[in-house]
Amino acid sequence: MTLNGLRRQLTVTLSLAALLGGLTACGGTASSGKDKSYADESPKKILADAKASMSSLKSVHISGSGLDDGNEMNIDMTVSTTGDCTGTIGTPDGEMTLLVVGGKGWFKADRAFWEANAGGDADAVLAMVGKKWVAGGDDIGDLAELCDWDELSDEFLELLVPSTIEGLTIKKSKDQVDGQPVIKLEDRSSEQGTIYVQAEEPHYVVKVSNTGKDAADVIFSGFDEPTEIVAPKPRQQIDFENMG
């Protein structure tokens, strides 16, 4: 077995970052928000505040699902600016649980993943791996990129630059996400994107949606919550490079 399967799978999973970057720079049933004065701010001001708040984060939990070229993808992961992360990525080729700590990466995968990447050797690989973490080997660069909030947020934060909304048709309204007052900025252009910004300080982005061709919903939570991400013990690991 070679690294080609893992590299291909990681290429697919990295497209999940595009669920963030591919959404438009604009912004349930509308309901009353508590912060009326903030609701009166301009979309440019709200986007600028959201960018400043999201830029300051040291860690955040990202969850959601969407379509990438018609393929259903999902993510449920805690990422940090240190590059440490833990969580799951779901793709048409199966689900992976990723773990990156201190520049080293590991993963676990379900049967669908191994059947897609190991073919007829899937049963043998599953028996060999068992419940152990597979070391990422040479592909740690891809894993680390997916797990580093600084890297992952680059394109996303660009969407929050106020100048990006010029020329767009923006509808601003009050709304709620999980009972929390937010300001909804909705792009009524063909991209059909929506950004939900927390009405009360800090003005974090709590949700991003796209109802266009590559529909997606991404939820942000756990802002700067304490994270305890630890590496697996040696006996809990298996070296992917030496699997054949």
Side-chain angles (χ1 to χ4, degrees):
M1 181 179 180
T2 69
L3 289 173
N4 290 338
L6 178 58
R7 288 195 179 98
R8 180 172 64 82
Q9 184 72 5
L10 288 174
T11 298
V12 175
T13 61
L14 285 170
S15 67
L16 278 168
L19 294 181
L20 308 180
L23 298 173
T24 60
C26 62
T29 302
S31 56
S32 60
K34 297 179 180 179
D35 193 339
K36 292 184 178 180
S37 62
Y38 193 68
D40 293 333
E41 295 285 0
S42 69
K44 286 187 177 182
K45 167 65 173 172
I46 294 170
L47 286 172
D49 290 345
K51 183 176 187 295
S53 296
M54 297 300 283
S55 297
S56 70
L57 287 173
K58 300 301 181 183
S59 64
V60 62
H61 187 82
I62 304 171
S63 61
S65 61
L67 299 176
D68 183 64
D69 290 334
N71 296 314
E72 187 171 351
M73 317 282 286
N74 61 72
I75 185 171
D76 187 358
M77 184 172 292
T78 297
V79 299
S80 69
T81 54
T82 65
D84 293 353
C85 80
T86 184
T88 59
I89 297 289
T91 75
D93 282 349
E95 183 176 272
M96 299 173 66
T97 300
L98 302 183
L99 177 62
V100 173
V101 181
K104 296 182 179 180
W106 302 264
F107 75 93
K108 291 183 178 181
D110 62 8
R111 171 173 287 276
F113 170 91
W114 290 117
E115 289 179 344
N117 289 280
D121 295 327
D123 286 339
V125 172
L126 282 164
M128 184 187 305
V129 172
K131 296 182 179 180
K132 293 182 178 180
W133 288 93
V134 179
D138 292 339
D139 296 278
I140 180 58
D142 290 335
L143 289 170
E145 182 178 345
L146 185 64
C147 291
D148 190 330
W149 173 242
D150 282 336
E151 295 287 339
L152 194 62
S153 66
D154 278 350
E155 289 187 61
F156 171 67
L157 293 178
E158 283 298 313
L159 302 182
L160 304 180
V161 176
S163 62
T164 62
I165 71 169
E166 292 183 2
L168 298 180
T169 303
I170 304 297
K171 178 182 178 182
K172 182 181 68 173
S173 60
K174 292 182 289 185
D175 205 339
Q176 289 191 359
V177 173
D178 293 333
Q180 179 173 293
V182 298
I183 306 301
K184 183 170 86 169
L185 300 176
E186 185 177 5
D187 174 16
R188 288 303 181 89
S189 73
S190 60
E191 295 297 334
Q192 301 174 323
T194 306
I195 289 178
Y196 299 79
V197 179
Q198 193 166 281
E200 299 174 353
E201 294 186 358
H203 300 295
Y204 294 130
V205 174
V206 295
K207 183 179 179 181
V208 184
S209 297
N210 182 11
T211 56
K213 178 182 177 181
D214 289 330
D217 285 299
V218 179
I219 303 293
F220 297 89
S221 61
F223 304 105
D224 277 341
E225 289 184 357
T227 58
E228 187 176 353
I229 304 174
V230 297
K233 297 178 180 179
R235 66 175 182 274
Q236 299 172 320
Q237 303 178 33
I238 187 170
D239 187 351
F240 186 81
E241 298 279 1
N242 296 326
M243 287 175 60

